[in-house]
Amino acid sequence: MEQTHAAHAFATLGHPGRLAVFRLLMRFAPRGVRPTEIAQALGLKANTLSHHLSDLTDCGLVAMRREGRSLFYSVDLAVAEALLGYLALDLGRARPDLLSPLPTSRETTMRDTGYHVLFICSGNSARSIFAEALLRDLGGDKFVAHSAGTRPGSQLNPFALDVLARNGHDVGAMRSKHLSEFQEDGAPVMDFVFTVCDTAAAEECPPWPGQPITGHWGLPDPVKAEGTDAEKALAFARTYGGLRRRIEAFAALPVASLDRLTLQTRVDRIDADALTKD
């Protein structure tokens, strides 16, 4: 990346509002996000967000595409990679001690089995419970599945329990859990953290400390489905099916043989591929 281009990008990210927008879009990359959902997640006025998106697009960090009547904004990962490369390899080339703690493309994961995986959503009554049960039963001893919510209820949704039971999952020990259970001393160290809340709620699903592989599998909340019981049950079944496709692809990954960067790319690809079938 040329110095003038890098300076423009750094100056653009120097504003707290634009940095917050870019940070949110990076969490959803490579998926695009509607402006209304960004504004809702960050509490921004529409005209303020419009200025931020225009500046980020102008410097090349963010791209916009139109699908029908909707606009979607997403991070241009090639430009973001070039900017980070400029920061690390050009500005930082005289200080290898600063770069040595960063994982390299040759760094592989630590072991062959027992990866701790946490699925987060708001209520922990349906989507993240589906994901926990699916990975527990499809992943074998390769993974240890957990789920939690930012605002969990006291009970699991009865429609969700019915879907799990009809698909052969044991739900006897499953319960709704608050995210804080996994933030306490002695909690398992997570290797993977997935948010399965929808886009507008995603800012409530926090980034996880440390360096887990992360992914966002945003699916509509079936708890909000309206209509008859049959129509509600169908919404839960569709959500279960969408998560099953993702979990099957994730469980099949050769985790131990992939370096971190490749593994993150493969995780990102799972959601993009599944969206074509949802």
Side-chain angles (χ1 to χ4, degrees), residues 3-67:
Q3 182 172 332
T4 54
H5 191 182
H8 187 191
F10 284 130
T12 301
L13 294 175
H15 185 282
R18 291 191 291 266
L19 183 61
V21 172
F22 184 74
R23 177 176 174 271
L24 184 143
L25 291 176
M26 276 296 296
R27 288 176 58 192
F28 290 106
R31 179 186 287 211
V33 185
R34 294 181 178 91
T36 53
E37 295 167 332
I38 301 173
Q40 183 176 351
L42 298 180
L44 294 174
K45 294 180 179 179
N47 60 339
T48 301
L49 175 60
S50 178
H51 286 300
H52 291 337
L53 289 172
S54 177
D55 290 338
L56 289 165
T57 303
D58 182 57
C59 76
L61 286 169
V62 168
M64 183 271 288
R65 76 177 190 278
R66 181 182 295 275
E67 292 185 8

Side-chain angles (χ1 to χ4, degrees), residues 103-207:
T104 70
S105 61
R106 293 182 299 275
E107 182 182 345
T108 59
T109 45
M110 296 177 293
R111 55 190 185 278
D112 295 326
T113 190
Y115 298 99
H116 285 273
V117 184
L118 177 63
F119 298 98
I120 305 173
C121 70
S122 51
N124 192 218
S125 66
R127 290 166 295 181
S128 53
I129 289 294
F130 283 163
E132 178 185 358
L134 280 162
L135 185 61
R136 179 197 65 197
D137 294 343
L138 298 177
D141 63 358
K142 185 176 177 180
F143 301 101
V144 181
H146 312 273
S147 71
T150 56
R151 302 188 310 277
S154 58
Q155 296 181 346
L156 302 184
N157 188 281
F159 285 99
L161 291 175
D162 182 63
V163 169
L164 289 172
R166 284 191 287 108
N167 284 276
H169 301 284
D170 181 5
V171 298
M174 304 200 76
R175 62 185 178 87
S176 187
K177 303 169 288 298
H178 194 277
L179 189 61
S180 60
E181 287 193 25
F182 299 94
Q183 297 172 318
E184 299 172 348
D185 291 341
V189 176
M190 294 302 159
D191 300 290
F192 298 86
V193 175
F194 294 94
T195 52
V196 293
C197 38
D198 57 15
T199 301
E203 193 60 17
E204 300 175 9
C205 299

